[in-house]
Amino acid sequence: MNTPDQEQIDHWLSISMESIADTEQALNSGYYQRKGISLQSVYTGTASDYADIARTKLLNGDSLTSVRHEFNTAALCINKSFSMAYEPNDPDYVGDKLPPAKAPRAPWGCVSWSDVSESDAIDGFNFALMAANLDTAKRLANLFQDRNNGKKMFPCINRYAHALQQAILLEKTQGLVLLEPTISTFTAKPPKQGYKINFFNLSLTLSSILSGDEAALNQGLLQILTFYQKTIIPAEDYQGTAYEFICDDAVALANLGLNYNLKVTIEHELLPKRLLTSLPDK
């Protein structure tokens, strides 16, 4: 696996740990409450920090147990945001407290629908799958739903998020039904826009897992990795970050495929073998 130099690794780790410490201090001091910042956004932001630590620890050669712990913590932070929105028994439940009309963001004490989006769910599923923790993935799958304010992301993203949810719950038929419109539409008219190409690749790969097509799984993973390396890294300015060395989507889908008893045979520098494993129930 391609790795950055040690100085860069140490810097990334220091930055992420400082960010988590600063967030905790701000939370304990009441800063977010005074500034009217949603607690859900604090959790989703902290999830990114823990995922960064996980990637950096992997690149640093830390124990797999430690790496997976950080990815699972990231997934649990995402889970918490969804729980606050949809689980009345959560002590921090805010799903019934709507933000003021036309508010630019959800203030403290109100539900933040922007922090339970399809992209948040995909991140949470990815982190749990990268952690090889099916229990965490299933808990999020049982919480995820279309937002109660009616907002949805682009159809191919929305379908993929829900199909990934169904795949984690082992609902093959429902997952395939969700993916079919994206695959048929983009097969008939191949997409030219970046996000559509990406979600076409993701949808094809997930479909191959649900249909048990091992060859298509490996081809799909290769397409995801190639597009990520050539397009997403430069477009998202991931060069010089840990994202440059690991493709979350590919690792997550590879582990999901392994859990469906398919073999992952491709090798790629952005698909670390150390992270690949089936997902036993916890």
Side-chain angles (χ1 to χ4, degrees):
M1 183 178 68
N2 186 27
T3 57
D5 60 50
Q6 190 61 48
E7 183 178 0
Q8 186 68 76
I9 289 173
D10 293 342
H11 174 69
W12 289 338
L13 192 59
S14 175
I15 291 296
S16 296
M17 293 181 72
E18 285 179 10
S19 179
I20 290 173
D22 289 346
T23 298
E24 185 175 1
Q25 182 179 7
L27 184 61
N28 291 337
S29 70
Y31 172 82
Y32 296 118
Q33 188 169 3
R34 292 194 303 273
K35 292 294 183 178
I37 298 172
S38 164
L39 180 58
Q40 287 172 268
S41 69
V42 176
Y43 275 109
T44 55
T46 301
S48 296
D49 287 331
Y50 277 111
D52 283 340
I53 289 176
R55 296 185 196 97
T56 306
K57 283 189 171 185
L58 180 73
L59 295 169
N60 195 47
D62 286 23
S63 72
L64 193 55
T65 298
S66 178
V67 172
R68 287 177 176 166
H69 173 76
E70 304 295 353
F71 273 127
N72 193 60
T73 302
L76 290 174
C77 287
I78 299 290
N79 280 18
K80 178 64 176 180
S81 179
F82 279 82
S83 179
M84 287 179 65
Y86 300 122
E87 180 47 67
N89 292 326
D90 188 302
D92 298 309
Y93 176 67
V94 289
D96 58 350
K97 299 176 179 65
L98 302 180
K102 298 184 180 180
R105 66 184 183 190
W108 182 276
C110 294
V111 64
S112 175
W113 299 121
S114 65
D115 288 290
V116 287
S117 70
E118 294 92 327
S119 60
D120 291 307
I122 292 169
D123 282 344
F125 292 141
N126 282 353
F127 298 154
L129 292 169
M130 294 172 81
N133 194 315
L134 193 58
D135 180 66
T136 300
K138 284 182 175 179
R139 284 161 59 187
L140 178 56
N142 284 315
L143 287 167
F144 173 55
Q145 56 188 273
D146 284 335
R147 287 171 277 180
N148 288 358
N149 65 352
K151 291 186 178 181
K152 296 181 182 181
M153 299 186 76
F154 294 114
C156 61
I157 301 175
N158 181 272
R159 293 180 197 124
Y160 177 76
H162 283 284
L164 186 55
Q165 172 193 39
Q166 295 303 312
I168 288 167
L169 295 174
L170 304 180
E171 298 291 348
K172 297 181 185 180
T173 301
Q174 290 89 327
L176 287 168
V177 168
L178 285 163
L179 293 170
E180 194 280 330
T182 296
I183 294 173
S184 60
T185 298
F186 288 164
T187 298
K189 186 177 181 180
K192 296 180 180 180
Q193 292 175 281
Y195 82 90
K196 289 184 178 180
I197 297 172
N198 188 40
F199 279 90
F200 186 27
N201 290 336
L202 292 172
S203 297
L204 285 169
T205 307
L206 182 55
S207 177
S208 71
I209 293 171
L210 294 170
S211 61
D213 190 333
E214 193 171 279
L217 165 62
N218 284 280
Q219 178 60 35
L221 289 173
L222 182 58
Q223 290 174 198
I224 290 169
L225 290 159
T226 301
F227 183 78
Y228 183 86
Q229 190 169 45
K230 292 183 177 180
T231 304
I232 294 182
I233 290 176
E236 298 294 334
D237 197 22
Y238 284 160
Q239 293 173 339
T241 75
Y243 286 98
E244 185 182 357
F245 300 89
I246 304 167
C247 178
D248 289 9
D249 286 320
V251 175
L253 287 175
N255 278 350
L256 185 61
L258 290 169
N259 197 56
Y260 272 78
N261 298 314
L262 302 176
K263 294 180 180 179
V264 175
T265 57
I266 69 160
E267 295 187 7
H268 195 283
E269 62 183 0
L270 300 180
L271 187 67
K273 285 186 176 181
R274 288 185 67 210
L275 285 179
L276 302 187
T277 184
S278 57
L279 311 170
D281 287 292
K282 298 296 181 181

Short mmCIF file of all heavy atoms in Angstrom, two decimals, residues 135-181:
data_model
loop_
_atom_site.label_atom_id
_atom_site.label_comp_id
_atom_site.label_asym_id
_atom_site.label_seq_id
_atom_site.Cartn_x
_atom_site.Cartn_y
_atom_site.Cartn_z
N ASP A 135 -23.16 -4.92 13.49
CA ASP A 135 -24.15 -4.46 14.46
C ASP A 135 -24.36 -2.96 14.35
O ASP A 135 -25.50 -2.48 14.30
CB ASP A 135 -23.71 -4.83 15.87
CG ASP A 135 -24.70 -4.38 16.93
OD1 ASP A 135 -25.82 -4.90 16.94
OD2 ASP A 135 -24.35 -3.50 17.74
N THR A 136 -23.26 -2.21 14.28
CA THR A 136 -23.36 -0.76 14.13
C THR A 136 -24.03 -0.40 12.82
O THR A 136 -24.86 0.50 12.76
CB THR A 136 -21.97 -0.11 14.22
OG1 THR A 136 -21.37 -0.40 15.48
CG2 THR A 136 -22.05 1.40 14.05
N ALA A 137 -23.68 -1.10 11.75
CA ALA A 137 -24.28 -0.85 10.44
C ALA A 137 -25.78 -1.11 10.48
O ALA A 137 -26.57 -0.34 9.93
CB ALA A 137 -23.61 -1.71 9.38
N LYS A 138 -26.19 -2.20 11.11
CA LYS A 138 -27.61 -2.53 11.17
C LYS A 138 -28.40 -1.53 12.01
O LYS A 138 -29.55 -1.21 11.69
CB LYS A 138 -27.80 -3.94 11.74
CG LYS A 138 -27.46 -5.05 10.75
CD LYS A 138 -27.71 -6.42 11.38
CE LYS A 138 -27.49 -7.53 10.37
NZ LYS A 138 -27.72 -8.87 10.97
N ARG A 139 -27.79 -1.04 13.08
CA ARG A 139 -28.47 -0.05 13.92
C ARG A 139 -28.77 1.21 13.11
O ARG A 139 -29.85 1.79 13.20
CB ARG A 139 -27.62 0.28 15.14
CG ARG A 139 -27.67 -0.82 16.21
CD ARG A 139 -26.50 -0.74 17.18
NE ARG A 139 -26.44 0.52 17.89
CZ ARG A 139 -25.41 0.87 18.69
NH1 ARG A 139 -24.40 0.03 18.83
NH2 ARG A 139 -25.41 2.01 19.31
N LEU A 140 -27.80 1.63 12.29
CA LEU A 140 -28.04 2.80 11.44
C LEU A 140 -29.07 2.47 10.36
O LEU A 140 -29.93 3.30 10.04
CB LEU A 140 -26.73 3.26 10.81
CG LEU A 140 -26.83 4.46 9.85
CD1 LEU A 140 -27.47 5.66 10.54
CD2 LEU A 140 -25.45 4.83 9.31
N ALA A 141 -28.99 1.27 9.80
CA ALA A 141 -29.94 0.87 8.76
C ALA A 141 -31.38 0.90 9.29
O ALA A 141 -32.32 1.20 8.54
CB ALA A 141 -29.60 -0.52 8.24
N ASN A 142 -31.55 0.60 10.55
CA ASN A 142 -32.89 0.61 11.13
C ASN A 142 -33.37 2.02 11.49
O ASN A 142 -34.55 2.20 11.80
CB ASN A 142 -32.92 -0.28 12.38
CG ASN A 142 -32.94 -1.76 12.03
OD1 ASN A 142 -33.69 -2.19 11.16
ND2 ASN A 142 -32.12 -2.55 12.70
N LEU A 143 -32.46 3.00 11.44
CA LEU A 143 -32.83 4.39 11.72
C LEU A 143 -33.02 5.21 10.46
O LEU A 143 -33.85 6.11 10.41
CB LEU A 143 -31.75 5.05 12.59
CG LEU A 143 -31.65 4.65 14.05
CD1 LEU A 143 -30.35 5.15 14.66
CD2 LEU A 143 -32.84 5.20 14.83
N PHE A 144 -32.24 4.91 9.43
CA PHE A 144 -32.23 5.74 8.22
C PHE A 144 -33.57 5.73 7.51
O PHE A 144 -34.21 4.70 7.36
CB PHE A 144 -31.13 5.26 7.27
CG PHE A 144 -31.15 5.93 5.93
CD1 PHE A 144 -31.09 7.32 5.83
CD2 PHE A 144 -31.25 5.18 4.76
CE1 PHE A 144 -31.11 7.94 4.58
CE2 PHE A 144 -31.27 5.79 3.51
CZ PHE A 144 -31.20 7.18 3.43
N GLN A 145 -33.99 6.91 7.07
CA GLN A 145 -35.21 7.08 6.29
C GLN A 145 -35.11 8.41 5.55
O GLN A 145 -34.23 9.22 5.82
CB GLN A 145 -36.44 7.09 7.21
CG GLN A 145 -36.38 8.15 8.31
CD GLN A 145 -37.50 8.01 9.32
OE1 GLN A 145 -38.60 8.55 9.14
NE2 GLN A 145 -37.23 7.27 10.38
N ASP A 146 -36.01 8.62 4.60
CA ASP A 146 -36.05 9.93 3.95
C ASP A 146 -36.42 10.98 5.00
O ASP A 146 -37.26 10.75 5.87
CB ASP A 146 -37.08 9.93 2.82
CG ASP A 146 -36.59 9.20 1.59
OD1 ASP A 146 -35.36 9.12 1.39
OD2 ASP A 146 -37.43 8.69 0.81
N ARG A 147 -35.79 12.13 4.87
CA ARG A 147 -35.97 13.18 5.87
C ARG A 147 -37.43 13.64 5.97
O ARG A 147 -38.14 13.74 4.97
CB ARG A 147 -35.07 14.37 5.52
CG ARG A 147 -33.61 14.11 5.79
CD ARG A 147 -32.74 15.21 5.24
NE ARG A 147 -32.46 15.01 3.82
CZ ARG A 147 -31.71 15.84 3.08
NH1 ARG A 147 -31.20 16.92 3.64
NH2 ARG A 147 -31.50 15.58 1.80
N ASN A 148 -37.84 13.94 7.18
CA ASN A 148 -39.24 14.33 7.43
C ASN A 148 -39.59 15.70 6.86
O ASN A 148 -40.78 16.05 6.79
CB ASN A 148 -39.53 14.31 8.93
CG ASN A 148 -39.60 12.90 9.49
OD1 ASN A 148 -39.46 11.93 8.75
ND2 ASN A 148 -39.79 12.78 10.79
N ASN A 149 -38.58 16.49 6.46
CA ASN A 149 -38.89 17.79 5.86
C ASN A 149 -39.10 17.68 4.35
O ASN A 149 -39.30 18.68 3.66
CB ASN A 149 -37.79 18.81 6.16
CG ASN A 149 -36.46 18.43 5.53
OD1 ASN A 149 -36.29 17.34 4.98
ND2 ASN A 149 -35.50 19.34 5.61
N GLY A 150 -39.04 16.45 3.82
CA GLY A 150 -39.33 16.21 2.41
C GLY A 150 -38.16 16.38 1.47
O GLY A 150 -38.28 16.07 0.28
N LYS A 151 -37.04 16.86 1.96
CA LYS A 151 -35.88 17.06 1.08
C LYS A 151 -35.18 15.74 0.80
O LYS A 151 -35.01 14.91 1.67
CB LYS A 151 -34.90 18.05 1.72
CG LYS A 151 -35.43 19.48 1.78
CD LYS A 151 -34.36 20.44 2.27
CE LYS A 151 -34.88 21.87 2.27
NZ LYS A 151 -33.84 22.84 2.73
N LYS A 152 -34.79 15.58 -0.48
CA LYS A 152 -34.04 14.40 -0.90
C LYS A 152 -32.87 14.84 -1.76
O LYS A 152 -32.93 15.89 -2.41
CB LYS A 152 -34.92 13.44 -1.70
CG LYS A 152 -36.07 12.82 -0.94
CD LYS A 152 -36.84 11.86 -1.85
CE LYS A 152 -38.04 11.24 -1.14
NZ LYS A 152 -38.77 10.29 -2.02
N MET A 153 -31.82 14.05 -1.77
CA MET A 153 -30.72 14.30 -2.67
C MET A 153 -31.09 13.78 -4.06
O MET A 153 -32.19 13.26 -4.26
CB MET A 153 -29.44 13.65 -2.12
CG MET A 153 -29.03 14.21 -0.77
SD MET A 153 -27.44 13.60 -0.15
CE MET A 153 -26.31 14.55 -1.18
N PHE A 154 -30.19 13.93 -5.03
CA PHE A 154 -30.47 13.47 -6.39
C PHE A 154 -30.92 12.00 -6.37
O PHE A 154 -30.46 11.22 -5.53
CB PHE A 154 -29.24 13.62 -7.27
CG PHE A 154 -28.83 15.05 -7.49
CD1 PHE A 154 -27.64 15.54 -6.98
CD2 PHE A 154 -29.65 15.90 -8.20
CE1 PHE A 154 -27.26 16.86 -7.19
CE2 PHE A 154 -29.28 17.23 -8.42
CZ PHE A 154 -28.09 17.71 -7.91
N PRO A 155 -31.82 11.61 -7.28
CA PRO A 155 -32.39 10.26 -7.25
C PRO A 155 -31.36 9.14 -7.18
O PRO A 155 -31.56 8.18 -6.42
CB PRO A 155 -33.20 10.21 -8.55
CG PRO A 155 -33.60 11.62 -8.79
CD PRO A 155 -32.44 12.45 -8.33
N CYS A 156 -30.28 9.23 -7.96
CA CYS A 156 -29.31 8.13 -7.94
C CYS A 156 -28.62 8.01 -6.59
O CYS A 156 -28.24 6.91 -6.17
CB CYS A 156 -28.27 8.29 -9.06
SG CYS A 156 -27.27 9.79 -8.97
N ILE A 157 -28.48 9.13 -5.87
CA ILE A 157 -27.87 9.11 -4.54
C ILE A 157 -28.86 8.55 -3.53
O ILE A 157 -28.52 7.71 -2.69
CB ILE A 157 -27.40 10.51 -4.12
CG1 ILE A 157 -26.39 11.06 -5.12
CG2 ILE A 157 -26.81 10.48 -2.71
CD1 ILE A 157 -25.95 12.50 -4.85
N ASN A 158 -30.11 9.04 -3.61
CA ASN A 158 -31.14 8.56 -2.69
C ASN A 158 -31.36 7.06 -2.83
O ASN A 158 -31.43 6.33 -1.83
CB ASN A 158 -32.44 9.32 -2.96
CG ASN A 158 -33.57 8.92 -2.03
OD1 ASN A 158 -34.31 7.98 -2.32
ND2 ASN A 158 -33.70 9.61 -0.92
N ARG A 159 -31.44 6.58 -4.07
CA ARG A 159 -31.66 5.15 -4.29
C ARG A 159 -30.49 4.33 -3.75
O ARG A 159 -30.69 3.27 -3.15
CB ARG A 159 -31.85 4.86 -5.78
CG ARG A 159 -33.10 5.44 -6.40
CD ARG A 159 -33.16 5.07 -7.88
NE ARG A 159 -34.10 5.90 -8.62
CZ ARG A 159 -33.79 6.61 -9.68
NH1 ARG A 159 -32.55 6.61 -10.16
NH2 ARG A 159 -34.70 7.33 -10.30
N TYR A 160 -29.27 4.81 -4.01
CA TYR A 160 -28.11 4.06 -3.54
C TYR A 160 -28.08 3.97 -2.02
O TYR A 160 -27.81 2.90 -1.46
CB TYR A 160 -26.81 4.71 -4.04
CG TYR A 160 -25.58 4.01 -3.53
CD1 TYR A 160 -25.17 2.79 -4.08
CD2 TYR A 160 -24.85 4.52 -2.47
CE1 TYR A 160 -24.06 2.11 -3.58
CE2 TYR A 160 -23.73 3.86 -1.97
CZ TYR A 160 -23.34 2.66 -2.53
OH TYR A 160 -22.25 1.99 -2.02
N ALA A 161 -28.36 5.08 -1.34
CA ALA A 161 -28.36 5.07 0.13
C ALA A 161 -29.36 4.05 0.66
O ALA A 161 -29.05 3.27 1.58
CB ALA A 161 -28.67 6.46 0.66
N HIS A 162 -30.56 4.03 0.08
CA HIS A 162 -31.59 3.09 0.54
C HIS A 162 -31.25 1.65 0.14
O HIS A 162 -31.54 0.71 0.89
CB HIS A 162 -32.95 3.50 0.00
CG HIS A 162 -33.57 4.65 0.73
ND1 HIS A 162 -34.14 4.52 1.97
CD2 HIS A 162 -33.68 5.97 0.39
CE1 HIS A 162 -34.60 5.70 2.38
NE2 HIS A 162 -34.32 6.59 1.44
N ALA A 163 -30.64 1.47 -1.02
CA ALA A 163 -30.24 0.12 -1.43
C ALA A 163 -29.13 -0.42 -0.54
O ALA A 163 -29.12 -1.61 -0.19
CB ALA A 163 -29.79 0.14 -2.89
N LEU A 164 -28.20 0.45 -0.15
CA LEU A 164 -27.14 0.03 0.78
C LEU A 164 -27.74 -0.35 2.12
O LEU A 164 -27.34 -1.33 2.75
CB LEU A 164 -26.13 1.16 0.92
CG LEU A 164 -24.86 0.88 1.74
CD1 LEU A 164 -24.11 -0.33 1.21
CD2 LEU A 164 -23.95 2.11 1.74
N GLN A 165 -28.71 0.42 2.56
CA GLN A 165 -29.46 0.10 3.78
C GLN A 165 -30.06 -1.30 3.69
O GLN A 165 -29.92 -2.12 4.61
CB GLN A 165 -30.55 1.14 3.98
CG GLN A 165 -31.54 0.83 5.11
CD GLN A 165 -32.77 1.73 5.03
OE1 GLN A 165 -33.27 2.03 3.93
NE2 GLN A 165 -33.24 2.17 6.18
N GLN A 166 -30.74 -1.60 2.58
CA GLN A 166 -31.38 -2.90 2.40
C GLN A 166 -30.34 -4.02 2.31
O GLN A 166 -30.57 -5.12 2.82
CB GLN A 166 -32.26 -2.88 1.15
CG GLN A 166 -33.44 -1.94 1.24
CD GLN A 166 -34.34 -2.23 2.42
OE1 GLN A 166 -34.72 -3.37 2.66
NE2 GLN A 166 -34.69 -1.19 3.17
N ALA A 167 -29.22 -3.74 1.68
CA ALA A 167 -28.16 -4.76 1.58
C ALA A 167 -27.62 -5.12 2.96
O ALA A 167 -27.34 -6.30 3.23
CB ALA A 167 -27.04 -4.24 0.68
N ILE A 168 -27.46 -4.13 3.81
CA ILE A 168 -26.97 -4.38 5.17
C ILE A 168 -27.98 -5.20 5.96
O ILE A 168 -27.62 -6.05 6.78
CB ILE A 168 -26.65 -3.05 5.87
CG1 ILE A 168 -25.37 -2.45 5.25
CG2 ILE A 168 -26.48 -3.22 7.37
CD1 ILE A 168 -25.11 -1.02 5.62
N LEU A 169 -29.26 -4.97 5.69
CA LEU A 169 -30.33 -5.72 6.37
C LEU A 169 -30.61 -7.07 5.68
O LEU A 169 -31.54 -7.77 6.06
CB LEU A 169 -31.61 -4.88 6.40
CG LEU A 169 -31.53 -3.59 7.23
CD1 LEU A 169 -32.80 -2.78 7.06
CD2 LEU A 169 -31.27 -3.90 8.71
N LEU A 170 -29.78 -7.38 4.66
CA LEU A 170 -29.88 -8.65 3.91
C LEU A 170 -31.18 -8.77 3.14
O LEU A 170 -31.67 -9.87 2.90
CB LEU A 170 -29.68 -9.85 4.85
CG LEU A 170 -28.37 -9.86 5.65
CD1 LEU A 170 -28.31 -11.11 6.54
CD2 LEU A 170 -27.16 -9.79 4.72
N GLU A 171 -31.73 -7.66 2.75
CA GLU A 171 -32.96 -7.63 1.94
C GLU A 171 -32.55 -7.48 0.48
O GLU A 171 -32.58 -6.38 -0.10
CB GLU A 171 -33.87 -6.50 2.39
CG GLU A 171 -34.37 -6.61 3.83
CD GLU A 171 -35.35 -7.76 4.04
OE1 GLU A 171 -35.83 -8.32 3.01
OE2 GLU A 171 -35.64 -8.09 5.19
N LYS A 172 -32.17 -8.57 -0.16
CA LYS A 172 -31.61 -8.52 -1.51
C LYS A 172 -32.60 -7.97 -2.54
O LYS A 172 -32.26 -7.11 -3.35
CB LYS A 172 -31.16 -9.92 -1.94
CG LYS A 172 -30.06 -10.53 -1.09
CD LYS A 172 -29.70 -11.90 -1.63
CE LYS A 172 -28.69 -12.60 -0.75
NZ LYS A 172 -28.35 -13.95 -1.29
N THR A 173 -33.81 -8.51 -2.53
CA THR A 173 -34.78 -8.13 -3.54
C THR A 173 -35.08 -6.64 -3.49
O THR A 173 -35.10 -5.95 -4.53
CB THR A 173 -36.07 -8.93 -3.37
OG1 THR A 173 -35.77 -10.33 -3.48
CG2 THR A 173 -37.09 -8.55 -4.44
N GLN A 174 -35.32 -6.12 -2.29
CA GLN A 174 -35.63 -4.69 -2.16
C GLN A 174 -34.47 -3.83 -2.64
O GLN A 174 -34.67 -2.79 -3.28
CB GLN A 174 -35.97 -4.35 -0.70
CG GLN A 174 -37.29 -4.93 -0.22
CD GLN A 174 -37.15 -6.32 0.38
OE1 GLN A 174 -36.31 -7.12 -0.06
NE2 GLN A 174 -37.96 -6.61 1.38
N GLY A 175 -33.26 -4.27 -2.32
CA GLY A 175 -32.09 -3.51 -2.75
C GLY A 175 -31.97 -3.47 -4.27
O GLY A 175 -31.69 -2.41 -4.86
N LEU A 176 -32.16 -4.60 -4.91
CA LEU A 176 -32.07 -4.67 -6.37
C LEU A 176 -33.14 -3.82 -7.04
O LEU A 176 -32.88 -3.16 -8.05
CB LEU A 176 -32.16 -6.12 -6.83
CG LEU A 176 -30.92 -6.99 -6.56
CD1 LEU A 176 -31.24 -8.45 -6.79
CD2 LEU A 176 -29.76 -6.54 -7.44
N VAL A 177 -34.34 -3.84 -6.48
CA VAL A 177 -35.43 -3.03 -7.04
C VAL A 177 -35.08 -1.54 -6.98
O VAL A 177 -35.34 -0.78 -7.93
CB VAL A 177 -36.75 -3.31 -6.28
CG1 VAL A 177 -37.82 -2.27 -6.64
CG2 VAL A 177 -37.26 -4.71 -6.60
N LEU A 178 -34.47 -1.12 -5.89
CA LEU A 178 -34.09 0.29 -5.73
C LEU A 178 -33.02 0.70 -6.74
O LEU A 178 -33.03 1.82 -7.25
CB LEU A 178 -33.60 0.55 -4.31
CG LEU A 178 -34.66 0.61 -3.22
CD1 LEU A 178 -34.04 0.45 -1.85
CD2 LEU A 178 -35.41 1.93 -3.30
N LEU A 179 -32.11 -0.20 -7.05
CA LEU A 179 -30.99 0.13 -7.93
C LEU A 179 -31.36 0.09 -9.41
O LEU A 179 -30.71 0.73 -10.24
CB LEU A 179 -29.83 -0.84 -7.67
CG LEU A 179 -29.15 -0.75 -6.31
CD1 LEU A 179 -28.21 -1.91 -6.11
CD2 LEU A 179 -28.41 0.58 -6.16
N GLU A 180 -32.39 -0.66 -9.75
CA GLU A 180 -32.72 -0.90 -11.15
C GLU A 180 -32.94 0.38 -11.96
O GLU A 180 -32.43 0.51 -13.09
CB GLU A 180 -33.93 -1.82 -11.25
CG GLU A 180 -34.16 -2.42 -12.64
CD GLU A 180 -34.84 -1.45 -13.60
OE1 GLU A 180 -35.63 -0.61 -13.12
OE2 GLU A 180 -34.58 -1.54 -14.81
N PRO A 181 -33.69 1.38 -11.45
CA PRO A 181 -33.91 2.60 -12.25
C PRO A 181 -32.61 3.33 -12.58
O PRO A 181 -32.44 3.84 -13.69
CB PRO A 181 -34.83 3.45 -11.38
CG PRO A 181 -35.51 2.47 -10.48
CD PRO A 181 -34.49 1.41 -10.20
#
